[in-house]
Amino acid sequence: TAPSSPNLTDFKVEYTTNVNGSWTNVAHTASTSTTMNVSGLTSGSTYYFRVSALNGNLSSASVVTEPVYIKYPQVPLAWITTNTTLTAFGTLTLAVSGGSGNGLLRFDSSNPSCTITGNILTAGNAGTSCTISASKGADNTYGSIGIGSTITITVVKKNQATTPYISSATSMIYGSNLTLEALGGSGIGNLSYAVDNAGTTGCSLNPSTRVLSATSTGTCRVSVQRGASTNYFVSTIGYQDIVVNPAPQTITFTSSIPTNPIAGATYIPSATSTSGLAASFSIQSGSCTISAGTVPFATSGSCVISASNAGTSLYSAAANVFQTISVGQRNQVLEFTSASRGITQKTFGDSAFLIEATSSESAANVTYSVHSSTTNSACSVTSAGLVSVLDVGRCVIEANAASSSAF
């Protein structure tokens, strides 16, 4: 500490390697500064210092300082690292040559967005830059040293790690819509969608809603791309084929089964499909037929009608639906002709005569027989209706016609 004197003009600084030996005066220009550079000292040697103040008179010397060891200078540091750019969030191993001893090698960044752990530099966001300096601390033998120059690392964008891909369904049904969703890519850039190849589908995309629609079936190729952001370039384009499948359809009978269907009647079936396509009709089983859309019931029994649609490129085939109709027999009516009904009396010995009965069914075969109420075996009759008088008494003739599948 300098003495307090208004007339202070200089300090006298002396040093020696042996406090009991001679002292060497430090040559300098007179100054009242309390710091002074001392040159000419030998590295690896220990020195002692004392100071006197001058204000016209020379003060007594100060107490001799503690011994000061003069450390060796380190070999100058030089950059091995030559990189000038680093991608966002990337890492770089910093390296220098030179330096001496065991002092700590330290790297520092001018920008806190770049962090350094040991000798590993981790970059921050793209668009920033970091100026890096290096230094090596002192140890017991060598003094500290700083590097003579810095390096500047510019942080740049990098490619996205993955290609975005369509994560929503990869197929859709004709007549429906599909909202596209995607994953992948890097960063926060917007995902953009487009139709790459509509193929036969006539597919189109609403870019604001991401809704894909198609006017036909086939394969529609769509693309997705993630845009650039602070740290990433625009991604590569991802592609996905979307298969547009035919829509399913169902058929429903719209015609009602006749209340009392009988053989000989007809029925006109009708049906609708969810596709709007016309239904086709066929006979699944039974003794009925169909012609020009009309089903005639030829005989009694079960008649099963099938309605179908084979589909188109837009609609898949519909599952067949069936109507089962139980067809009954017609009632048959037998009646003697008026001429036959007029024969009510004959005389024994009269010639044989014909009687006739008719059926409501033209296909019916009418046969005749003597009824059990006949008395005294008064007559006989052939199957064709020829009656012979055999005796006096009551003659009752019965007409019969067998049934068929229709009556």
Side-chain angles (χ1 to χ4, degrees), residues 297-328:
F297 302 130
T299 62
S300 61
S302 177
C303 174
V304 181
I305 303 172
S306 170
S308 63
N309 184 282
T312 64
S313 61
L314 302 181
Y315 293 93
S316 56
N320 289 12
V321 293
F322 304 95
Q323 268 191 343
T324 300
I325 302 173
S326 296
V327 181

mmCIF file of all heavy atoms in Angstrom, residues 297-328:
data_model
loop_
_atom_site.group_PDB
_atom_site.id
_atom_site.type_symbol
_atom_site.label_atom_id
_atom_site.label_comp_id
_atom_site.label_asym_id
_atom_site.label_seq_id
_atom_site.Cartn_x
_atom_site.Cartn_y
_atom_site.Cartn_z
ATOM 1 N N PHE A 297 -98.631 -68.578 -61.089
ATOM 2 C CA PHE A 297 -98.605 -69.732 -60.203
ATOM 3 C C PHE A 297 -99.242 -70.904 -60.949
ATOM 4 O O PHE A 297 -100.472 -70.986 -61.070
ATOM 5 C CB PHE A 297 -99.361 -69.444 -58.911
ATOM 6 C CG PHE A 297 -98.817 -68.264 -58.154
ATOM 7 C CD1 PHE A 297 -99.670 -67.264 -57.708
ATOM 8 C CD2 PHE A 297 -97.458 -68.152 -57.903
ATOM 9 C CE1 PHE A 297 -99.190 -66.181 -57.011
ATOM 10 C CE2 PHE A 297 -96.958 -67.068 -57.201
ATOM 11 C CZ PHE A 297 -97.816 -66.071 -56.761
ATOM 12 N N ALA A 298 -98.405 -71.787 -61.461
ATOM 13 C CA ALA A 298 -98.920 -72.899 -62.265
ATOM 14 C C ALA A 298 -99.631 -73.927 -61.397
ATOM 15 O O ALA A 298 -100.678 -74.459 -61.766
ATOM 16 C CB ALA A 298 -97.778 -73.553 -63.037
ATOM 17 N N THR A 299 -99.088 -74.220 -60.246
ATOM 18 C CA THR A 299 -99.666 -75.243 -59.372
ATOM 19 C C THR A 299 -99.592 -74.766 -57.940
ATOM 20 O O THR A 299 -98.973 -73.732 -57.632
ATOM 21 C CB THR A 299 -98.889 -76.574 -59.502
ATOM 22 O OG1 THR A 299 -97.535 -76.362 -59.076
ATOM 23 C CG2 THR A 299 -98.899 -77.079 -60.933
ATOM 24 N N SER A 300 -100.193 -75.512 -57.066
ATOM 25 C CA SER A 300 -100.117 -75.180 -55.647
ATOM 26 C C SER A 300 -98.746 -75.594 -55.115
ATOM 27 O O SER A 300 -98.018 -76.358 -55.727
ATOM 28 C CB SER A 300 -101.219 -75.904 -54.876
ATOM 29 O OG SER A 300 -101.067 -77.315 -55.005
ATOM 30 N N GLY A 301 -98.422 -75.095 -53.959
ATOM 31 C CA GLY A 301 -97.147 -75.412 -53.337
ATOM 32 C C GLY A 301 -96.390 -74.137 -52.992
ATOM 33 O O GLY A 301 -96.932 -73.031 -53.003
ATOM 34 N N SER A 302 -95.107 -74.296 -52.701
ATOM 35 C CA SER A 302 -94.280 -73.152 -52.300
ATOM 36 C C SER A 302 -93.561 -72.591 -53.521
ATOM 37 O O SER A 302 -92.939 -73.326 -54.293
ATOM 38 C CB SER A 302 -93.258 -73.592 -51.247
ATOM 39 O OG SER A 302 -92.417 -72.522 -50.899
ATOM 40 N N CYS A 303 -93.618 -71.290 -53.670
ATOM 41 C CA CYS A 303 -92.914 -70.598 -54.755
ATOM 42 C C CYS A 303 -91.956 -69.601 -54.110
ATOM 43 O O CYS A 303 -92.386 -68.696 -53.379
ATOM 44 C CB CYS A 303 -93.905 -69.871 -55.663
ATOM 45 S SG CYS A 303 -93.113 -68.837 -56.923
ATOM 46 N N VAL A 304 -90.639 -69.778 -54.327
ATOM 47 C CA VAL A 304 -89.620 -68.912 -53.723
ATOM 48 C C VAL A 304 -89.039 -68.011 -54.803
ATOM 49 O O VAL A 304 -88.450 -68.493 -55.774
ATOM 50 C CB VAL A 304 -88.504 -69.727 -53.045
ATOM 51 C CG1 VAL A 304 -87.478 -68.790 -52.407
ATOM 52 C CG2 VAL A 304 -89.100 -70.655 -51.999
ATOM 53 N N ILE A 305 -89.222 -66.711 -54.625
ATOM 54 C CA ILE A 305 -88.738 -65.722 -55.594
ATOM 55 C C ILE A 305 -87.496 -65.061 -55.027
ATOM 56 O O ILE A 305 -87.454 -64.663 -53.854
ATOM 57 C CB ILE A 305 -89.821 -64.666 -55.878
ATOM 58 C CG1 ILE A 305 -91.098 -65.338 -56.390
ATOM 59 C CG2 ILE A 305 -89.327 -63.624 -56.871
ATOM 60 C CD1 ILE A 305 -92.276 -64.382 -56.505
ATOM 61 N N SER A 306 -86.467 -64.932 -55.862
ATOM 62 C CA SER A 306 -85.197 -64.305 -55.462
ATOM 63 C C SER A 306 -85.056 -62.957 -56.152
ATOM 64 O O SER A 306 -85.323 -62.829 -57.349
ATOM 65 C CB SER A 306 -84.019 -65.216 -55.838
ATOM 66 O OG SER A 306 -82.799 -64.533 -55.661
ATOM 67 N N ALA A 307 -84.619 -61.939 -55.362
ATOM 68 C CA ALA A 307 -84.305 -60.620 -55.921
ATOM 69 C C ALA A 307 -82.810 -60.392 -55.752
ATOM 70 O O ALA A 307 -82.244 -60.632 -54.677
ATOM 71 C CB ALA A 307 -85.098 -59.532 -55.218
ATOM 72 N N SER A 308 -82.141 -59.934 -56.798
ATOM 73 C CA SER A 308 -80.690 -59.787 -56.750
ATOM 74 C C SER A 308 -80.262 -58.595 -57.586
ATOM 75 O O SER A 308 -81.047 -58.029 -58.347
ATOM 76 C CB SER A 308 -80.000 -61.055 -57.258
ATOM 77 O OG SER A 308 -80.340 -61.271 -58.619
ATOM 78 N N ASN A 309 -78.975 -58.210 -57.390
ATOM 79 C CA ASN A 309 -78.353 -57.214 -58.255
ATOM 80 C C ASN A 309 -76.878 -57.551 -58.317
ATOM 81 O O ASN A 309 -76.208 -57.663 -57.289
ATOM 82 C CB ASN A 309 -78.556 -55.786 -57.716
ATOM 83 C CG ASN A 309 -77.986 -54.743 -58.666
ATOM 84 O OD1 ASN A 309 -76.786 -54.529 -58.702
ATOM 85 N ND2 ASN A 309 -78.859 -54.100 -59.437
ATOM 86 N N ALA A 310 -76.361 -57.740 -59.507
ATOM 87 C CA ALA A 310 -74.975 -58.185 -59.679
ATOM 88 C C ALA A 310 -73.959 -57.104 -59.383
ATOM 89 O O ALA A 310 -72.767 -57.383 -59.278
ATOM 90 C CB ALA A 310 -74.776 -58.705 -61.109
ATOM 91 N N GLY A 311 -74.406 -55.861 -59.202
ATOM 92 C CA GLY A 311 -73.483 -54.783 -58.905
ATOM 93 C C GLY A 311 -72.871 -54.191 -60.153
ATOM 94 O O GLY A 311 -73.058 -54.667 -61.277
ATOM 95 N N THR A 312 -72.102 -53.123 -59.950
ATOM 96 C CA THR A 312 -71.397 -52.424 -61.027
ATOM 97 C C THR A 312 -70.001 -52.099 -60.538
ATOM 98 O O THR A 312 -69.583 -52.570 -59.473
ATOM 99 C CB THR A 312 -72.137 -51.121 -61.394
ATOM 100 O OG1 THR A 312 -72.106 -50.228 -60.256
ATOM 101 C CG2 THR A 312 -73.592 -51.385 -61.774
ATOM 102 N N SER A 313 -69.295 -51.304 -61.290
ATOM 103 C CA SER A 313 -67.973 -50.881 -60.829
ATOM 104 C C SER A 313 -68.066 -50.006 -59.589
ATOM 105 O O SER A 313 -67.099 -49.870 -58.833
ATOM 106 C CB SER A 313 -67.250 -50.111 -61.937
ATOM 107 O OG SER A 313 -67.980 -48.947 -62.294
ATOM 108 N N LEU A 314 -69.250 -49.425 -59.360
ATOM 109 C CA LEU A 314 -69.424 -48.540 -58.211
ATOM 110 C C LEU A 314 -70.046 -49.233 -57.012
ATOM 111 O O LEU A 314 -69.876 -48.779 -55.875
ATOM 112 C CB LEU A 314 -70.298 -47.339 -58.599
ATOM 113 C CG LEU A 314 -69.797 -46.483 -59.762
ATOM 114 C CD1 LEU A 314 -70.754 -45.327 -60.010
ATOM 115 C CD2 LEU A 314 -68.392 -45.969 -59.494
ATOM 116 N N TYR A 315 -70.786 -50.315 -57.276
ATOM 117 C CA TYR A 315 -71.482 -51.011 -56.194
ATOM 118 C C TYR A 315 -71.175 -52.493 -56.268
ATOM 119 O O TYR A 315 -71.199 -53.092 -57.355
ATOM 120 C CB TYR A 315 -72.996 -50.793 -56.271
ATOM 121 C CG TYR A 315 -73.414 -49.360 -56.015
ATOM 122 C CD1 TYR A 315 -73.583 -48.474 -57.073
ATOM 123 C CD2 TYR A 315 -73.619 -48.912 -54.720
ATOM 124 C CE1 TYR A 315 -73.952 -47.145 -56.837
ATOM 125 C CE2 TYR A 315 -73.996 -47.597 -54.473
ATOM 126 C CZ TYR A 315 -74.158 -46.716 -55.540
ATOM 127 O OH TYR A 315 -74.519 -45.421 -55.307
ATOM 128 N N SER A 316 -70.925 -53.083 -55.128
ATOM 129 C CA SER A 316 -70.705 -54.525 -55.082
ATOM 130 C C SER A 316 -72.044 -55.240 -55.223
ATOM 131 O O SER A 316 -73.109 -54.644 -55.053
ATOM 132 C CB SER A 316 -70.022 -54.915 -53.768
ATOM 133 O OG SER A 316 -70.778 -54.470 -52.671
ATOM 134 N N ALA A 317 -71.971 -56.522 -55.546
ATOM 135 C CA ALA A 317 -73.195 -57.308 -55.711
ATOM 136 C C ALA A 317 -73.964 -57.345 -54.400
ATOM 137 O O ALA A 317 -73.381 -57.445 -53.315
ATOM 138 C CB ALA A 317 -72.851 -58.715 -56.167
ATOM 139 N N ALA A 318 -75.279 -57.245 -54.531
ATOM 140 C CA ALA A 318 -76.122 -57.300 -53.335
ATOM 141 C C ALA A 318 -76.381 -58.751 -52.951
ATOM 142 O O ALA A 318 -76.437 -59.645 -53.805
ATOM 143 C CB ALA A 318 -77.448 -56.592 -53.602
ATOM 144 N N ALA A 319 -76.529 -58.987 -51.681
ATOM 145 C CA ALA A 319 -76.930 -60.319 -51.220
ATOM 146 C C ALA A 319 -78.379 -60.566 -51.650
ATOM 147 O O ALA A 319 -79.230 -59.672 -51.564
ATOM 148 C CB ALA A 319 -76.810 -60.406 -49.702
ATOM 149 N N ASN A 320 -78.635 -61.769 -52.163
ATOM 150 C CA ASN A 320 -79.993 -62.097 -52.608
ATOM 151 C C ASN A 320 -80.961 -62.063 -51.434
ATOM 152 O O ASN A 320 -80.628 -62.459 -50.312
ATOM 153 C CB ASN A 320 -80.018 -63.488 -53.245
ATOM 154 C CG ASN A 320 -79.320 -63.504 -54.593
ATOM 155 O OD1 ASN A 320 -78.645 -62.554 -54.951
ATOM 156 N ND2 ASN A 320 -79.489 -64.580 -55.334
ATOM 157 N N VAL A 321 -82.164 -61.577 -51.719
ATOM 158 C CA VAL A 321 -83.247 -61.650 -50.733
ATOM 159 C C VAL A 321 -84.385 -62.467 -51.351
ATOM 160 O O VAL A 321 -84.486 -62.582 -52.582
ATOM 161 C CB VAL A 321 -83.737 -60.253 -50.317
ATOM 162 C CG1 VAL A 321 -82.661 -59.514 -49.549
ATOM 163 C CG2 VAL A 321 -84.165 -59.439 -51.529
ATOM 164 N N PHE A 322 -85.220 -63.048 -50.509
ATOM 165 C CA PHE A 322 -86.205 -64.017 -50.996
ATOM 166 C C PHE A 322 -87.606 -63.691 -50.459
ATOM 167 O O PHE A 322 -87.767 -63.172 -49.359
ATOM 168 C CB PHE A 322 -85.812 -65.432 -50.578
ATOM 169 C CG PHE A 322 -84.437 -65.824 -51.029
ATOM 170 C CD1 PHE A 322 -83.346 -65.671 -50.184
ATOM 171 C CD2 PHE A 322 -84.227 -66.334 -52.312
ATOM 172 C CE1 PHE A 322 -82.078 -66.027 -50.602
ATOM 173 C CE2 PHE A 322 -82.967 -66.686 -52.727
ATOM 174 C CZ PHE A 322 -81.886 -66.543 -51.877
ATOM 175 N N GLN A 323 -88.580 -64.029 -51.273
ATOM 176 C CA GLN A 323 -89.983 -64.056 -50.862
ATOM 177 C C GLN A 323 -90.508 -65.473 -51.095
ATOM 178 O O GLN A 323 -90.321 -66.034 -52.183
ATOM 179 C CB GLN A 323 -90.823 -63.067 -51.680
ATOM 180 C CG GLN A 323 -90.964 -61.696 -51.074
ATOM 181 C CD GLN A 323 -92.000 -60.860 -51.790
ATOM 182 O OE1 GLN A 323 -92.405 -61.157 -52.917
ATOM 183 N NE2 GLN A 323 -92.450 -59.804 -51.136
ATOM 184 N N THR A 324 -91.133 -66.036 -50.085
ATOM 185 C CA THR A 324 -91.720 -67.367 -50.210
ATOM 186 C C THR A 324 -93.240 -67.235 -50.200
ATOM 187 O O THR A 324 -93.820 -66.669 -49.265
ATOM 188 C CB THR A 324 -91.263 -68.284 -49.070
ATOM 189 O OG1 THR A 324 -89.828 -68.391 -49.107
ATOM 190 C CG2 THR A 324 -91.881 -69.673 -49.207
ATOM 191 N N ILE A 325 -93.872 -67.761 -51.248
ATOM 192 C CA ILE A 325 -95.326 -67.659 -51.400
ATOM 193 C C ILE A 325 -95.914 -69.063 -51.377
ATOM 194 O O ILE A 325 -95.501 -69.946 -52.151
ATOM 195 C CB ILE A 325 -95.694 -66.948 -52.709
ATOM 196 C CG1 ILE A 325 -95.060 -65.544 -52.733
ATOM 197 C CG2 ILE A 325 -97.200 -66.870 -52.881
ATOM 198 C CD1 ILE A 325 -95.224 -64.824 -54.054
ATOM 199 N N SER A 326 -96.847 -69.300 -50.476
ATOM 200 C CA SER A 326 -97.542 -70.589 -50.403
ATOM 201 C C SER A 326 -98.790 -70.505 -51.279
ATOM 202 O O SER A 326 -99.752 -69.795 -50.960
ATOM 203 C CB SER A 326 -97.927 -70.914 -48.957
ATOM 204 O OG SER A 326 -96.771 -71.076 -48.172
ATOM 205 N N VAL A 327 -98.770 -71.220 -52.382
ATOM 206 C CA VAL A 327 -99.855 -71.176 -53.375
ATOM 207 C C VAL A 327 -100.843 -72.309 -53.091
ATOM 208 O O VAL A 327 -100.456 -73.483 -52.987
ATOM 209 C CB VAL A 327 -99.290 -71.290 -54.804
ATOM 210 C CG1 VAL A 327 -100.424 -71.214 -55.835
ATOM 211 C CG2 VAL A 327 -98.252 -70.209 -55.049
ATOM 212 N N GLY A 328 -102.123 -71.967 -52.976
ATOM 213 C CA GLY A 328 -103.138 -72.972 -52.700
ATOM 214 C C GLY A 328 -103.807 -73.485 -53.981
ATOM 215 O O GLY A 328 -103.640 -72.921 -55.065
#
